[in-house]
Amino acid sequence: MSEDVRELIDRCLAGDTVAMAELVELYRGHVFGLCYRMLGHRQDAEDATQETFLRVFRALRTYDRDRDFRPWLLAIAGNRCRSHISSRYRRPRPRRLTGDGDEMVDGSPHPAGERELVEEVELALDQLREEYRQAFLLFHEQQLSYAEIGEALGCPVGTVKTWVHRARREMAEWIRRRGVVEEVER
Amino acid sequence: MNCREWEARINEVLDNRGSLDGDPELARHARECAICAGLLASTRELLAGVALLDVPPCDPQMADRVIRELRTPERRVSVGLYRVAAVASLATAAALLLGAMLVFTAPEGPAPIVEQTEDLPQPSSEGVAVVQPGDFNRDDLDRDMVVKLWRETRESVDGIPTLLTGQPESSGDAAAPAQPDGGIDGLAESVAGSFGFLLDVLADADGPPQS
Ligand SMILES: [Zn+2]
């Protein structure tokens, strides 16, 4: 953990709200990205992000300074998301991760070819089991480490690796079957 | 390098966030194997597509929201209330559990009879005459007699073999022998224990009961 973060945490512990705001600013992207990929809804993800930081500040005294801060933070975020998932009942996750729906990212400026590829990747993601999808996106899109994903999803690193490998394999197979790679030189 | 090793290699490269183009071994096998070549191409496409995925921006006011919420005392009160409610629920559950245990636990008494009969090497040829007179605790005599009578009556009516008779269970479920303290036997012992207690009280008041 960098000295800057350590100092920021010390100031937060002293009740410095400016430091708290700085800590949120520093990590809200990571936390929100994780929550969004676990929950699939922007509003839910924002609520979970807010709850995560509230928990973090209330539990900051119990935080072990010898550990990295980010995995601890993401583990809390993962717990919040799992609580959300278990409490909301049977709301379907959005079919599309980008595009023009209510829950989705709007106005993607990709050219037609890229937009097509994104759609195929989204379709491939839709075919995956939930845990494969989450693990894959957290690793490849959110660029979390396997250890961080394990903390966030509450499972061993070996399991996360297996999920990511299977997700990759299944999605690559999907893309090959869909003929997306025919244009790609061999 | 065979296909399996090749796939393990591709996973290793990607797990370490390496480039698929930076590994000559991967390329060599892909040139010789059409299946793996297809997998390599589709994996490249997949990763290119993932790089194009977007996550919506987080609320830029998130820090304000968090700090505002931290300053709001009601939430802490409600958390405190939840804790009180949780403790109260636990206490209620514990009280109910204790009550249930008091109601359903058979009073002491017949257990030694069961231990005796479980050690019997042969099914008893004497029917229910398993409880030997010498096994009676004189103080429990009346209660034990009730247990014995109850069992004799039950078996003569239902013909249900029990552990006490030394006969095997007719159900054939060898993995689930009758539990001496559970089910109908437990109930019998519980009832018999209560009955025995009543007899004891009567004995104290009126002398030995007539059998
Ligand atoms: Zn091959």
Side-chain angles (χ1 to χ4, degrees):
Chain A
M1 183 168 63
S2 77
E3 275 309 308
D4 289 349
V5 175
R6 210 181 290 270
E7 190 200 318
L8 211 49
I9 290 171
D10 285 340
R11 286 169 53 206
C12 291
L13 283 169
D16 181 347
T17 51
V18 175
M20 291 178 190
E22 282 178 37
L23 198 74
V24 173
E25 281 303 309
L26 194 58
Y27 287 106
R28 73 179 161 97
H30 294 106
V31 173
F32 179 77
L34 172 93
C35 295
Y36 184 73
R37 283 314 183 198
M38 283 186 74
L39 299 171
H41 292 259
R42 182 177 186 166
Q43 191 58 53
D44 287 356
E46 285 190 344
D47 290 347
T49 302
Q50 179 178 332
E51 287 165 23
T52 298
F53 282 111
L54 287 170
R55 296 230 164 196
V56 162
F57 289 129
R58 285 169 182 155
L60 205 51
R61 286 185 196 287
T62 66
Y63 161 64
D64 176 3
R65 301 299 204 82
D66 293 333
R67 289 179 67 188
D68 275 343
F69 180 70
R70 200 174 86 151
W72 184 73
L73 171 72
L74 295 178
I76 293 174
N79 280 335
R80 295 318 309 145
C81 291
R82 289 203 297 280
S83 293
H84 266 265
I85 289 166
S86 60
S87 66
R88 77 183 179 197
Y89 90 112
R90 312 205 66 67
R91 187 201 296 186
R93 68 184 175 84
R95 276 194 51 79
R96 290 305 170 89
L97 300 168
T98 59
D100 54 3
D102 187 22
E103 300 286 355
M104 305 127 195
V105 184
D106 195 17
S108 75
H110 304 307
E114 288 186 352
R115 202 158 48 234
E116 210 171 288
L117 177 59
V118 167
E119 281 176 12
E120 287 299 334
V121 170
E122 287 168 348
L123 281 173
L125 283 163
D126 275 347
Q127 315 303 314
L128 295 178
R129 275 167 53 172
E130 187 74 9
E131 60 269 32
Y132 291 7
R133 194 179 63 83
Q134 287 177 355
F136 176 87
L137 285 169
L138 294 180
F139 183 80
H140 278 295
E141 189 209 37
Q142 296 296 307
Q143 305 279 310
L144 303 191
S145 70
Y146 279 130
E148 286 173 326
I149 299 169
E151 296 245 31
L153 299 183
C155 58
V157 167
T159 305
V160 176
K161 272 193 180 185
T162 302
W163 290 348
V164 172
H165 293 178
R166 288 181 183 167
R168 253 182 340 232
R169 173 73 195 226
E170 287 180 22
M171 292 175 78
E173 286 288 344
W174 169 271
I175 282 175
R176 190 183 58 79
R177 282 201 304 273
R178 298 276 293 178
V180 178
V181 285
E182 300 237 308
E183 304 143 23
V184 179
E185 49 170 306
R186 288 265 301 269
Chain B
M1 183 180 270
N2 61 31
C3 297
R4 188 178 288 270
E5 290 167 339
W6 184 85
E7 195 175 347
R9 180 70 158 258
I10 210 173
N11 278 329
E12 192 186 327
V13 168
L14 293 177
D15 285 352
N16 291 312
R17 304 203 186 278
S19 162
L20 291 178
D21 301 321
D23 192 315
E25 286 290 314
L26 284 178
R28 189 173 303 131
H29 178 77
R31 274 197 298 274
E32 298 160 358
C33 175
I35 294 171
C36 291
L39 192 60
L40 182 62
S42 55
T43 302
R44 276 204 190 99
E45 279 299 282
L46 168 66
L47 297 179
V50 169
L52 296 171
L53 293 177
D54 292 319
V55 169
C58 181
D59 181 358
Q61 305 299 312
M62 183 55 69
D64 290 344
R65 281 171 61 170
V66 170
I67 287 163
R68 198 165 48 238
E69 195 68 21
L70 275 173
R71 285 174 172 155
T72 307
E74 295 91 68
R75 182 58 62 93
R76 289 185 186 175
V77 170
S78 68
V79 168
L81 283 175
Y82 284 135
R83 283 196 182 137
V84 169
V87 169
S89 303
L90 278 175
T92 307
L96 285 173
L97 187 63
L98 187 63
M101 284 168 69
L102 287 173
V103 167
F104 290 110
T105 300
E108 58 170 310
I113 300 171
V114 173
E115 282 175 14
Q116 289 282 336
T117 57
E118 276 179 345
D119 291 335
L120 285 177
Q122 299 288 334
S124 171
S125 58
E126 300 168 296
V128 295
V130 168
V131 180
Q132 301 301 318
D135 294 330
F136 281 117
N137 177 338
R138 194 167 282 279
D139 295 332
D140 290 338
L141 182 62
D142 295 328
R143 185 170 53 193
D144 291 339
M145 286 293 286
V146 172
V147 172
K148 190 181 162 208
L149 282 169
W150 194 92
R151 287 181 192 287
E152 282 178 1
T153 307
R154 198 190 76 176
E155 281 154 18
S156 66
V157 170
D158 299 333
I160 301 171
T162 69
L163 269 183
L164 277 178
T165 65
Q167 290 173 335
E169 286 289 303
S170 59
S171 70
D173 187 2
Q179 295 297 309
D181 288 334
I184 195 77
D185 285 350
L187 183 61
E189 285 157 12
S190 187
V191 170
S194 307
F195 200 24
F197 172 73
L198 280 173
L199 289 174
D200 288 342
V201 171
L202 286 172
D204 285 343
D206 302 320
Q210 302 298 313
S211 59

